[in-house]
Amino acid sequence: LKMSTIPVIDISSIVQNDSEPNSEEFKKVSAQIDDACRTIGFFYIKGHGIDENSMKDALKLVDELFDIPKEEKEKISIRKSHNHRGYSGFGEENVDDVYHEIDMKECFDMSLDLDSNDEDVKKGTPFYGPNQWPEPLKGEWKDKVNRHFEVMINLGRKLIRAFTPSLGLPIDHFDEMYKKPLAALRFLRYPPSSHFPNENGEVRVGCGAHTDYGFLTILQQDGVGGLQVQNVNGQWIDAVPIPNTFIVNLGDLMSKATCGKYKATPHRVLENKANVPRHSIPLFFDPHYNTLVEIVPSCVSEDNSSQPFLFGEHLEKRFNATYSYRQEKD
């Protein structure tokens, strides 16, 4: 199948609180998502219920963080976190493990903010624990980030239910695994490449070609552009910014769970040659660490011998391969 464009899907009928899974409107959206997942693995969503001002405010939070002094950002380095939260500077995460291109971006990762009384923290479940917050911005900034995280989690929970009809699953199939998800909200800023003289002729990108690790990613991007998606013919197509939309893509685990019927599509961010920074905010909408990943019954085939495995163990392997600080610990 040739897919040269990324479809735009209006999901208003599935995000309303009174949405009815058996309605024709719900099934229509589910079918559109199913088609996108089988062909390109990417789609835009509109009618998602998050207003334009909230989306603009979220992008402001990104600049407020990355504009603080470098020494303050280093105080919350992801290297100091036991559960993969905090700040990553330029070149600390390099996702392309084939060409080893250097990623020119700053990142900040946060998730459920859990204290020592939490059951998963007590058990030592990997990646569960507290966030790291920048000292100059605590208070109101922290509250705004947490509120935005909750809004995005709620969107993810509604969106993933729309995958169930086409896969022949009960509407509540994903509910339990997303009660306490390992979802991570990430702030990203890609400065103009002109800020970094390239005296050694290194191959540099905003973010190298990769597939995402988990089930589902919901991405907000600004108007600068640079995100590209690889279609099944190996062509790179632009994921052009469309105001008031999110881009949704599938990760490796959704592909594994559907025996490849749903596509985990390679994508990349080009070197930012604009004269302004590029901002994006992905939510990696992933389930609890102990979620057992199994083949969806409707996708089972005779030649598939995939064994169930824990989501969290898969995530650890991918983090270990792409983050320099985790390799240094080995």
Side-chain angles (χ1 to χ4, degrees):
L1 288 171
K2 181 178 179 181
M3 197 73 174
S4 59
T5 58
I6 302 169
V8 181
I9 301 174
D10 185 342
I11 65 166
S12 54
S13 63
I14 68 167
V15 298
Q16 297 161 357
N17 289 330
D18 59 351
S19 64
E20 175 50 58
N22 291 321
S23 69
E24 288 305 312
E25 293 84 359
F26 195 101
K27 290 177 181 177
K28 179 183 176 182
V29 173
S30 176
Q32 290 175 326
I33 290 174
D34 181 68
D35 182 63
C37 292
R38 291 174 186 270
T39 52
I40 195 167
F42 267 76
F43 55 94
Y44 295 88
I45 54 172
K46 65 178 184 178
H48 44 69
I50 300 175
D51 65 78
E52 182 179 2
N53 286 334
S54 295
M55 295 181 73
K56 288 180 177 177
D57 288 345
L59 290 173
K60 289 177 186 175
L61 295 172
V62 178
D63 272 334
E64 288 171 7
L65 169 65
F66 293 129
D67 282 347
I68 67 174
K70 186 174 187 296
E71 58 268 23
E72 293 294 339
K73 290 183 281 191
E74 291 296 342
K75 288 179 182 177
I76 57 164
S77 168
I78 201 166
R79 297 167 179 266
K80 300 177 180 179
S81 171
H82 294 295
N83 42 296
H84 201 71
R85 317 276 178 88
Y87 172 77
S88 305
F90 302 104
E92 285 197 54
E93 181 199 30
N94 297 300
V95 295
D96 186 335
D97 54 7
V98 177
Y99 296 106
H100 304 291
E101 297 167 323
I102 297 171
D103 287 9
M104 303 306 296
K105 65 182 189 289
E106 290 183 282
C107 313
F108 173 77
D109 289 278
M110 62 82 65
S111 188
L112 290 171
D113 205 7
L114 305 172
D115 61 26
S116 58
N117 294 317
D118 175 80
E119 286 303 313
D120 276 300
V121 177
K122 286 180 182 177
K123 293 174 185 174
T125 308
F127 304 122
Y128 284 91
N131 291 319
Q132 294 196 93
W133 299 105
E135 194 62 43
L137 291 176
K138 278 190 172 177
E140 187 179 2
W141 186 87
K142 172 183 172 181
D143 292 341
K144 288 179 178 177
V145 173
N146 276 324
R147 281 199 298 273
H148 186 65
F149 178 67
E150 290 174 12
V151 166
M152 293 302 298
I153 290 292
N154 287 333
L155 173 60
R157 286 177 173 142
K158 291 176 179 178
L159 179 62
I160 204 162
R161 288 168 72 93
F163 284 73
T164 57
S166 296
L167 291 173
L169 296 170
I171 191 69
D172 61 354
H173 175 80
F174 294 106
D175 289 3
E176 185 66 30
M177 64 181 78
Y178 278 101
K179 280 185 178 176
K180 193 178 178 185
L182 261 187
L185 188 72
R186 167 173 281 193
F187 288 174
L188 288 158
R189 187 165 76 173
Y190 304 82
S193 60
S194 58
H195 288 199
F196 301 92
N198 191 1
E199 297 169 355
N200 299 323
E202 297 166 322
V203 179
R204 301 190 310 187
V205 291
C207 184
H210 65 286
T211 55
D212 288 348
Y213 312 150
F215 272 82
L216 201 65
T217 303
I218 306 172
L219 172 76
Q220 177 184 355
Q221 60 175 340
D222 65 10
V224 173
L227 176 64
Q228 291 190 321
V229 177
Q230 190 175 45
N231 67 13
V232 292
N233 298 316
Q235 301 165 318
W236 288 101
I237 59 176
D238 293 326
V240 178
I242 300 177
N244 306 323
T245 66
F246 292 95
I247 296 178
V248 178
N249 68 278
L250 307 182
D252 297 334
L253 292 192
M254 188 67 89
S255 180
K256 288 178 185 293
T258 59
C259 290
K261 291 180 172 62
Y262 280 8
K263 309 300 182 189
T265 307
H267 50 285
R268 66 186 182 187
V269 177
L270 298 177
E271 185 177 1
N272 182 11
K273 295 187 176 178
N275 58 5
V276 294
R278 177 184 185 270
H279 309 79
S280 68
I281 308 175
L283 175 76
F284 301 105
F285 190 60
D286 296 327
H288 191 279
Y289 183 97
N290 290 325
T291 297
L292 193 65
V293 180
E294 300 179 278
I295 302 299
V296 172
S298 65
C299 298
V300 171
S301 59
E302 290 182 7
D303 59 351
N304 180 68
S305 59
S306 178
Q307 297 298 311
F309 58 91
L310 286 185
F311 162 69
E313 292 178 354
H314 163 83
L315 188 67
E316 283 192 86
K317 289 176 184 175
R318 291 300 300 265
F319 279 166
N320 291 343
T322 54
Y323 278 88
S324 58
Y325 87 94
R326 297 183 74 88
Q327 294 160 12
E328 290 162 7
K329 288 180 179 179
D330 293 343

